Amino acid sequence: MCGIVGAIAERNITAILLEGLKRLEYRGYDSAGVAVLDEAGRLQRRRRSGKVAELEQALKDEPLAGRLGIAHTRWATHGAPCERNAHPHFSGDGLAVVHNGIIENHEELRTRLKGLGYAFVSDTDTEVIVHLLHHKLKETGDLTTALKAAVPELHGAYGLAVISADQPDRLVATRSGSPLVIGLGIGENFLASDQLALRQVTDRFVYLEEGDIAEIRRDRISLWDNAGQPVQRETVQYHEGAEAADKGEYRHFMLKEIYEQPKVVQRTLEGRIGQEQVLVQAFGPQAADLFAKVKNVQIVACGTSYHAGMVARYWLEALAGIPCQIEVASEFRYRKVVVQPDSLFVTISQSGETADTLAALRNAKARSREEGGYLASLAICNVGTSSLVRESDLCLLTQAGPEIGVASTKAFTTQLVALLLLTLALGKVRGGLEEGVEAELVEELRRLPTRLGEALAMDKTVEKVAELFAEKHHTLFLGRGAQYPVAMEGALKLKEISYIHAEAYPAGELKHGPLALVDADMPVVTVAPNNELVEKLKSNLQEVRARGGELIVFADEEAGIENGEGTHLVNMPHIHDVLAPILYTLPLQLLSYYVAVLKGTDVDQPRNLAKSVTVE
Ligand code: F6R
């Protein structure tokens, strides 16, 4: 949730830290701060509540310079988002810490540290870390040893970076439950929560594993694993250009990312489909053997990724004939689950660092080791170096590229593509697909980027429709079949970026309660591909019109729905019914985007949210 950046170099690193924070701002944006060891050997700090731009202004007004420093952008958990609670936190004037995560035993540590004479000046859980480290530093005289001594006393989730005025030759760091990556330079090294923050300075990265401790010096790094043993971690070279973190010609990252969908869907298909078939080995060398044993699929995910999983359930059962259960990770992780025999455990995540999804995977892996536990785990993920991918048996990477807008768009559609590939692969290996279905859908997938381009060409029409929402406070989204999760995703997008209350219902549920809400002030949005449910859907739409409700319908040209009094029809390009959830997502993304723009909200960084939810 919070973002961490650190640097040690022969040059002034303040601008590098600031640029890193800007690139990490998607992780949290209620305050930001930087601490730098200046040329006189004093730790200097600037902090501001609000966005990184406020900190940037503070640094213009009162510049800082130094060759060692740490910085932070915050998403508040403990303590209000004010300057006093902003990181870096100090103990005395010589030790500074930035932290991402939650220290669960902070109250107990606070009491103990107060007893040792430490005075607390913030309401954060983080402040216990810096005082505890200070205490350990007094005992050991060495920053790295002090960190090693402090870690066993910290319970919870953390990514930490620490600097000390007494030891200007190093930056020390550790992670447990929150990601950290070291960026390797020449004669200089860096640290961040996400490699994206450092792509301006390097393309070589070392990802810390759970429990690793790192000592980062200008010319070398040393690592210890969670058992305290020295360890080497692989260096990963990143090839994609640093421009991914740039808005380019677009007004917002969200719009840029919506428009990238034809390209990233194409990329997600590359190397995964052959002439008329899905390449099962794309899921890993053991995939074919494992898939042959699968009799059931359990999907676990959060938010938008959960909606992708809901669509997949329709596909897995209808096309591949495999029973499928899906649940949100925050519930699944704490539930006593009955494991269906021979179940494949599938997680879906853009970031691969979502705390609830990771915890659910870890529980499932523990069950796999038991008799009758899960067969194997598969991650559908956008970040190849993430904890989720590293801890799963199999993975299929979506190729969405970095997603900066907090509201997920291109990650969702690429997840859907990956899940359709999974459906076809499982169905094929287990012999559950009807004759010709694989070749037909592979051909449709090949055409999908063009269809998505056609859907995006309706941009101006959707922008016009968005005007209907400017003064509204509530909206209903309706869908049937696999379009129901698409409606849920549409409602989530609208509420998170425009702050309009939005609910999604399966259209058939309308008369069981929500119809009572329908009046002229409650627009009803629906997606209507031309399939066997369209006639049923039309009856549901009549129910809305009869109560004076205004309809916004995204419908297939041949669905037989007409524009008219109270019905705003947007015609969609024709698409194979199986792929319709992917195509119909696009106008709903554009709709929320334009409503948010009209309402003047902060589209890329909506209030109270953060991109990567690494806390519970
Ligand atoms: C909504 C959104 C969130 C995420 C959710 C899971 O636009 O982005 O609902 O989908 O926090 O995140 P990941 O996919 O990273 O596990």
Side-chain angles (χ1 to χ4, degrees), residues 302-305 349-351 354 406-408 415 492-493 496 613:
C302 300
T304 290
S305 299
S349 175
Q350 187 284 126
S351 61
T354 300
V406 163
S408 194
Q415 285 167 349
L492 178 64
K493 285 295 87 97
E496 69 184 327
V613 187

Side-chain angles (χ1 to χ4, degrees), residues 469-500:
F469 292 77
E471 304 300 325
K472 301 288 192 259
H473 300 289
H474 307 277
T475 306
L476 268 184
F477 282 73
L478 302 178
R480 273 187 173 262
Q483 299 299 333
Y484 166 47
V486 171
M488 291 174 80
E489 176 57 12
L492 178 64
K493 285 295 87 97
L494 189 70
K495 69 183 115 180
E496 69 184 327
I497 61 167
S498 74
Y499 315 146
I500 293 177

Side-chain angles (χ1 to χ4, degrees), residues 425-437:
L426 276 170
K428 165 162 122 161
V429 171
R430 295 176 67 260
L433 292 179
E434 273 177 31
E435 174 89 32
V437 163

Side-chain angles (χ1 to χ4, degrees), residues 17 29 48 53 128 208 218 226 264 278 281 308 373 416 594:
L17 295 177
Y29 32 82
R48 286 294 179 272
V128 300
L208 296 191
R218 225 174 35 69
N226 58 3
V264 295
V278 170
Q281 61 270 32
L416 289 178
Y594 284 117

